[in-house]
Amino acid sequence: MSKPEQPAHTGSGAFFERRYWVDVQHARQPAAELLDHIKCHLPDFSPDLLAEFEKSKGAAHCLSVGDEFGVKILGPWNGDVRVTDIGADYFELATLESHPEAGRICFSLKPHATLPDTLRFEIHSKARSRDGLVAFTYDTLGFGKKVQQQTWETFCQRVADYSGGLLLGPVQVETIRQDESGTEITHDA
């Protein structure tokens, strides 16, 4: 039986909205084709030493809504995620009970808003820690944050490399931290 989803409101501590993105010009394939490849090879883009994805529910091929992955995460906690939504230019994962975070993460690939022949790959998460211990380790000690940031920066870099296009600068990272009432505490870009 599948574990229930673990939405952000069930977690503990501050809410974090994070964005990681990379812009690539002159990719070898159109955005839809590149995103389809990511959907069909998700584990290949994540660094195994930091976060190893292994499909635990669903067909062996590309992503479908309802598919689940076990994620072996560097450190004391592993977790599970479920594919909750798939669109033409994105897919979304939700954390499941026992994952260190409570929330959702969306992966999207779209034409850049202003630059011609440029794609933007973005990972956008809205989550908070599962409980007080995870919040302390992640936010106070900073260990989890470093692992997570390195995981998603590497994922973005691997997408850029696979695209065969010209990388327009390093992976960008933005973090907005909010208290439990939703008031912004910090904004790091």
Side-chain angles (χ1 to χ4, degrees):
M1 183 173 179
S2 294
K3 294 178 182 178
E5 288 184 22
Q6 187 167 260
H9 73 271
T10 65
S12 180
F15 287 89
F16 290 91
E17 182 173 354
R18 293 188 182 83
R19 291 176 58 229
Y20 307 85
W21 71 93
V22 64
D23 296 325
V24 178
Q25 213 165 42
H26 311 300
R28 285 185 302 217
Q29 63 272 74
E33 188 177 315
L34 179 56
L35 187 62
D36 282 346
H37 182 82
I38 297 166
K39 290 176 191 175
C40 294
H41 300 91
L42 182 68
D44 295 347
F45 291 92
S46 183
D48 286 351
L49 293 176
L50 299 176
E52 182 180 352
F53 281 76
E54 185 175 326
K55 193 177 268 191
S56 57
K57 180 181 175 189
H61 61 289
C62 299
L63 298 182
S64 295
V65 171
D67 286 355
E68 295 181 6
F69 288 86
V71 186
K72 294 178 186 171
I73 303 167
L74 179 66
W77 297 288
N78 295 326
D80 297 304
V81 295
R82 178 179 298 130
V83 179
T84 55
D85 197 9
I86 298 175
D89 57 7
Y90 72 93
F91 62 93
E92 180 183 70
L93 307 176
T95 60
L96 301 182
E97 190 177 85
S98 82
H99 190 285
E101 284 194 313
R104 293 180 178 264
I105 188 165
C106 185
F107 300 75
S108 64
L109 185 64
K110 301 176 182 178
H112 193 279
T114 58
L115 297 174
D117 197 21
T118 303
L119 301 176
R120 173 165 286 179
F121 176 74
E122 181 175 307
I123 301 170
H124 185 181
S125 68
K126 294 180 182 179
R128 63 198 292 207
S129 296
R130 170 186 73 207
D131 56 36
L133 180 59
V134 175
F136 176 75
T137 304
Y138 183 92
D139 195 27
T140 306
L141 299 179
F143 175 73
K145 180 181 179 188
K146 289 176 185 170
V147 170
Q148 184 180 58
Q149 183 167 329
Q150 184 62 46
T151 297
W152 298 132
E153 284 181 357
T154 300
F155 197 106
C156 287
Q157 184 65 51
R158 287 180 176 179
V159 168
D161 291 346
Y162 183 81
S163 79
L166 173 66
L167 182 62
L168 301 181
V171 175
Q172 300 296 302
V173 180
E174 176 185 57
T175 301
I176 299 171
R177 182 174 187 249
Q178 300 171 338
D179 65 19
E180 296 201 24
S181 70
T183 302
E184 187 176 307
I185 300 170
T186 58
H187 187 144
D188 302 323

